[in-house]
């Protein structure tokens, strides 16, 4: 058994961490957070040059062709650094959807553009409240044009193209849903940036009015593709969350060692020590669930749906837990704008929602476990 | 990243599997499989006898105490081979409960500190289960604070005379030998005046009194020592160096990974999957699903954490203090899981008899045993301290008695 990343993968992690420490310090995150930029363009280009955007994209489409384990490693570092770039929407959602369902021409057009950093993509799935479900998709597709509204769409205001989930039937079955690819520059779609919990990552409302769109994958197979995309993204996002959780824990630990109160470092008080130990526990459980998800993702195992849900739930809980208690360890300082704690708290709570909320994945996990038990 | 054995590991696994298939007491397999925390019983059989027969059979064929050297009754196997054995032994491993302390802690301490003749005399029958050992550390005044113990050992000629009391001693009532931590110098700081011995539990002056536990069982004991004589040749380590000797014992506890900790989750999932509530199947209830999902990811998180540790073992690395996580998470989880299973049964959850209770009273038994898990082998609080101090590098607790002679340390809180 080797239930760990390889030395080469660990080396890639070190490289990514070093790169992000230099190019993406908290100050860079703040530039986007404070509204001075919609995303960090220099960082985005730097990530492209390092080969990180196309790490799981095959070489024939301009990627590094390394694989999904390598992408997991990079994802963790992106989460750790709170990278204010459209990485998850472009790489986990849009690129994966094209890899799964795209035509040869679509792959040839968009995947190299993603790998080189020249195209930002997103997935337009949600229409207001609620979790992913075929019933919630009302946006209509007819005669190759889309009409309707999507929100929230991650990075929707800066995207060059969007994968759009649309209704193409009225049978009440999953097969009513199809996917479309929309070139955002081609007209027919209007993007409006929305205020969100975590301004270091943009959210938008997209309004489609007789918008020309090309099908992505076969008609009626949209929901099946979406399920696969969401499972894959769940594992990758879980690595981001674990990266964030680990960093929040580290920040809390460091502060507890440095800050003196009642004549002692506050980290010597059991109440504080034990809070940090519990943060370590939740981050460790999440990391282990993520490793299982990474294995399932990289081998495309039949266990992937269950592993993805477990990784997602565990990592969501861990990041939220570590981010909130990091503020608690910091006391009043933790609640200031000046300290970085709130950036992790924002990201933890925003990423908890982006692929469907915790309750959605809890349901999914139990359904999948029942299915396995029945089999 | 893969779950595959190396060729050597696969060969070892196949050998173990074949031997277990041919030799294990299959007639108890189902009962052992179904037994959960708080309930390892074999109908119509004495579990101690069944366990001893199984252990002896293992020892005779070279499957006992795998990681021990051959000359002391082991197999000289690698840590990863030990883990593979535990995985293959499966439910039959539950028969090893009464040997765990002897094999995991007393044996390694003897190996590190006893004389060669003693090792050859005492270790093989310990490995084969013919003799059972216990560990006499905890006292009424020294549980988590082990070094606070008061049992005295005074030198008289070539012997030591022991007086005092131990408590929470697992299995003392059926143990043949024990390792014993005593105070030999009360005039120095508490860690500096301790000495370790081993002794025959049938020695004159040793009195074992089983303690009735909160769950009604009696696995633990009080042990009283009245003028018990131990020859100096049965001292382990130097006089007043007992604290270091005991650390060796406790460090060895950590090597026990791989068999998987009990969380109660598989039992709860199975129970919910079959349970009907007033308004439909429990498994379709929103609250039930949320609770189950939360525990499911803890259980899987522990499972894959131990797989990561096994991977490290496989590469020749040693498990570190991060493995304290298993008992810490599982202990309170099993308590909560059991309480929730009872809650789902409504008023009838109060019934614990095997005839009247759902799932033959498994969860009621689990609920009443679980508090012990959170205390034995280090409380949740001690586990958190270990993680905070040894993994995260936070400062140790302040110990106001650290440099105070033991006999000057206050013994009462109020007044």
């Amino acid at each position: 058994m080797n239930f760990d990343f390889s030395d080469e993968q660990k080396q890639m992690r070190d490289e990514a961490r070093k790169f992000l420490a230099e190019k993406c310090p908290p100050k860079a995150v703040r530039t986007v957070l404070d509204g001075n930029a919609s995303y960090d363009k220099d960082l985005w280009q730097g990530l492209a040059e390092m080969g990180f955007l196309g790490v799981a994209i095959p070489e024939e489409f301009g990627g590094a062709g390394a694989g999904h384990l390598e992408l997991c490693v990079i994802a963790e570092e992106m989460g750790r650094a709170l990278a204010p770039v459209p990485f998850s929407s472009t790489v986990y959602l849009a690129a994966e959807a094209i890899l799964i369902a795209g035509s040869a021409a679509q792959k040839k057009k968009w995947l190299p553009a993603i790998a080189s950093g020249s195209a930002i993509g997103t997935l337009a799935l949600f229409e207001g409240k609620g979790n992913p479900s075929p019933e919630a998709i009302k946006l209509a597709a007819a005669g190759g044009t889309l009409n309707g509204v999507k929100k929230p769409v991650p990075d929707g205001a800066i995207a060059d193209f969007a994968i759009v989930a649309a209704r193409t039937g009225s049978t009440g079955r999953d097969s009513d849903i199809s996917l479309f690819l929309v070139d955002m520059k081609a007209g027919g779609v209007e993007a409006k940036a929305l205020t969100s919990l975590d301004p270091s990552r943009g959210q938008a409302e997209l309004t489609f009015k007789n918008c020309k769109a090309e099908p992505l994958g076969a008609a009626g197979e949209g929901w099946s593709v979406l399920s696969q995309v969401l499972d894959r993204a769940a594992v990758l996002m879980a690595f981001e969350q674990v990266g964030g959780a680990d960093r929040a824990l580290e920040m809390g630990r460091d502060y507890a060692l440095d800050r003196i109160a009642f004549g002692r470092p506050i980290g010597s008080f059991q109440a504080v020590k034990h809070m940090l130990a519990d943060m370590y526990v939740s981050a460790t459980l999440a990391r282990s669930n993520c490793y299982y998800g990474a294995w399932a993702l990289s081998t495309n195992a039949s266990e992937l749906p269950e592993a993805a849900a477990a990784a997602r739930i565990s990592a969501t809980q861990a990041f939220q837990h570590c981010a909130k208690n990091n503020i608690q360890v910091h006391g009043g300082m933790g609640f200031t704008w000046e300290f970085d704690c709130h950036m992790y708290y924002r990201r933890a709570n925003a990423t908890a929602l982006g692929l469907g909320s915790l309750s959605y994945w809890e349901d999914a996990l139990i359904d999948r476990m029942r299915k396995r038990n029945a089999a | 990243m893969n779950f595959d054995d190396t060729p050597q590991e696969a060969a070892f696994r196949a050998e173990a599997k074949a031997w277990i298939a041919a030799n294990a007491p299959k007639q108890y397999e189902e009962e052992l499989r179904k037994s959960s925390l708080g309930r390892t019983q074999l109908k119509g059989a004495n579990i101690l006898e069944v366990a001893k027969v199984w252990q002896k059979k293992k020892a005779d064929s070279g499957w006992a105490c795998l990681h021990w050297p051959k000359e002391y009754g082991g197999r000289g196997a690698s840590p990863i081979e030990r883990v593979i054995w535990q995985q293959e032994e499966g439910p039959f491993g539950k028969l090893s409960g009464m040997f765990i302390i002897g094999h995991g802690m007393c044996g390694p301490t003897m190996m590190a500190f006893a004389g060669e003749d003693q090792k050859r005399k005492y270790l093989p029958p310990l490995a084969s289960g013919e003799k059972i050992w216990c560990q006499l550390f905890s006292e009424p005044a020294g549980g988590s604070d082990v070094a606070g113990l008061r049992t005295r050992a005074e030198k008289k000629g070539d012997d030591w005379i022991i007086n005092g009391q131990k408590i929470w001693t697992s299995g003392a009532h059926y143990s043949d030998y024990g390792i014993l931590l005593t105070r030999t110098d009360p005039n120095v700081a508490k860690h500096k005046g301790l000495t370790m011995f081993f002794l025959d539990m049938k020695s004159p002056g040793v009195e074992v009194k089983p303690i009735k536990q909160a769950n009604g069982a009696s696995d633990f004991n009080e042990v009283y020592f009245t003028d018990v004589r131990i020859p100096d040749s049965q001292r382990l380590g130097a006089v007043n160096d007992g604290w270091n000797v005991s650390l060796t014992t406790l460090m060895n506890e950590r090597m026990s990974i791989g068999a998987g900790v009990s969380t109660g989750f598989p039992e709860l999932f199975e129970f919910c999957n079959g349970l009907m509530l007033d308004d439909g199947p429990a498994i379709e209830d929103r609250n039930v699903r949320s609770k189950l999902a939360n525990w499911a990811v803890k259980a899987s998180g522990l499972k894959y954490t131990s797989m990561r540790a096994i991977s490290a073992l496989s590469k020749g690395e040693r498990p570190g203090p991060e493995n304290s996580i298993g008992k810490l998470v599982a202990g309170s989880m099993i308590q909560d899981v059991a309480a929730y299973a009872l809650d789902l049964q409504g008023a009838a959850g109060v019934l614990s008899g095997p005839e009247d209770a759902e799932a033959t009273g498994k969860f009621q038994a689990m609920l009443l045993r679980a508090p012990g898990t959170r205390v034995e082998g280090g409380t949740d609080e001690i586990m958190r301290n270990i993680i905070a101090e040894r993994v995260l590098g936070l400062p140790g607790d302040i110990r106001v008695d650290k440099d105070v002679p033991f006999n000057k340390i206050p013994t009462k809180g109020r007044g």
Side-chain angles (χ1 to χ4, degrees), chain B residues 200-378:
Chain B
D200 186 335
M201 289 296 283
K202 307 292 182 307
S203 305
V206 177
E207 190 189 359
V208 177
K209 285 188 179 171
I211 300 169
K212 189 170 182 183
Q213 298 153 204
N215 65 341
S218 298
D219 307 314
F220 305 140
N221 302 272
E222 293 177 295
V223 183
Y224 292 88
F225 296 87
T226 313
D227 294 329
V228 175
R229 267 179 191 275
I230 300 181
D232 187 56
S233 59
Q234 291 181 199
R235 175 164 45 82
L236 296 171
V239 174
N240 291 336
D241 197 35
W243 182 246
N244 284 323
V245 179
S246 73
L247 288 182
T248 306
T249 311
L250 297 170
M251 291 284 270
N252 272 289
E253 219 178 0
R254 220 185 275 148
M255 291 295 284
S256 309
I257 55 168
V261 287
S262 191
T263 61
F265 179 74
E267 291 92 338
L268 180 71
F269 188 79
E270 190 192 342
F271 177 61
C272 290
N273 212 6
L275 183 71
M276 282 300 286
L277 300 176
D278 289 345
D279 46 0
I283 194 79
E284 281 165 24
D285 180 273
R286 180 73 204 91
N287 291 321
V288 173
R289 291 165 77 91
S290 178
K291 292 265 192 191
L292 284 177
N294 276 287
W295 282 316
V297 303
K298 278 192 182 173
S300 61
L302 285 182
K303 178 177 164 193
Y304 299 121
T305 299
S306 90
M307 288 200 170
R308 289 169 57 203
I310 292 167
S311 288
L313 272 183
S314 180
K315 285 184 221 165
E317 293 165 28
R318 285 179 74 83
E322 63 276 10
N323 290 300
S324 307
I325 194 173
K327 196 180 91 77
L328 174 59
V329 174
S332 58
M333 176 168 159
I334 203 163
Q335 200 167 17
D336 295 343
V337 158
Y340 188 62
L342 266 54
D343 184 72
L344 287 171
Q345 296 167 30
V350 76
L351 303 175
S352 63
E355 306 299 321
D356 300 311
E358 293 272 358
T360 67
K362 178 159 51 187
F363 295 106
Q364 285 80 3
M366 211 186 262
L367 180 85
L368 293 178
R369 180 60 183 77
T373 305
R374 295 184 59 196
V375 175
E376 62 200 358

Side-chain angles (χ1 to χ4, degrees), chain A residues 1-5 9-10 69 249 253 256-257 264-265 267-268 270 272-274 276-278 280-281 284-285 287-289 291-292 294-295 298-299 309-310 313-314 317 358-360 362-367 369-370 373, chain B residues 1-6 9 87 265 269 273 283-284 286 289-290 292-294 296-298 300-302 304-305 307-308 310-311 314-315 322 325 328-329 380-382 384-385 387-389 391-398:
Chain A
M1 175 174 349
N2 180 24
F3 195 48
D4 195 2
F5 288 100
Q9 287 153 355
K10 286 179 187 169
L69 285 179
L249 166 61
R253 193 264 320 264
L257 284 169
R264 300 154 56 175
S268 69
Q270 274 198 353
V272 176
K273 275 165 89 160
H274 288 189
L276 287 159
D278 285 340
Y280 171 82
V281 167
T284 300
L285 294 178
R287 175 175 295 280
S288 300
N289 278 310
Y291 278 29
Y292 184 54
W295 167 79
S298 67
T299 55
I313 294 167
S314 192
Q317 290 174 339
L358 206 46
S359 56
Y360 167 78
E362 287 171 356
D363 259 345
L365 177 64
I366 299 304
D367 281 339
M369 289 180 69
R370 282 183 82 192
N373 272 34
Chain B
M1 194 176 271
N2 65 64
F3 291 96
D4 307 334
D5 287 330
T6 65
E9 288 165 4
Q87 290 172 340
F265 179 74
F269 188 79
N273 212 6
I283 194 79
E284 281 165 24
R286 180 73 204 91
R289 291 165 77 91
S290 178
L292 284 177
N294 276 287
V297 303
K298 278 192 182 173
S300 61
L302 285 182
Y304 299 121
T305 299
M307 288 200 170
R308 289 169 57 203
I310 292 167
S311 288
S314 180
K315 285 184 221 165
E322 63 276 10
I325 194 173
L328 174 59
V329 174
D380 283 4
E381 290 65 34
I382 294 292
R384 288 193 173 92
N385 271 5
I387 290 172
E389 294 170 19
V391 181
L392 299 177
L394 291 162
D397 279 6
I398 288 185

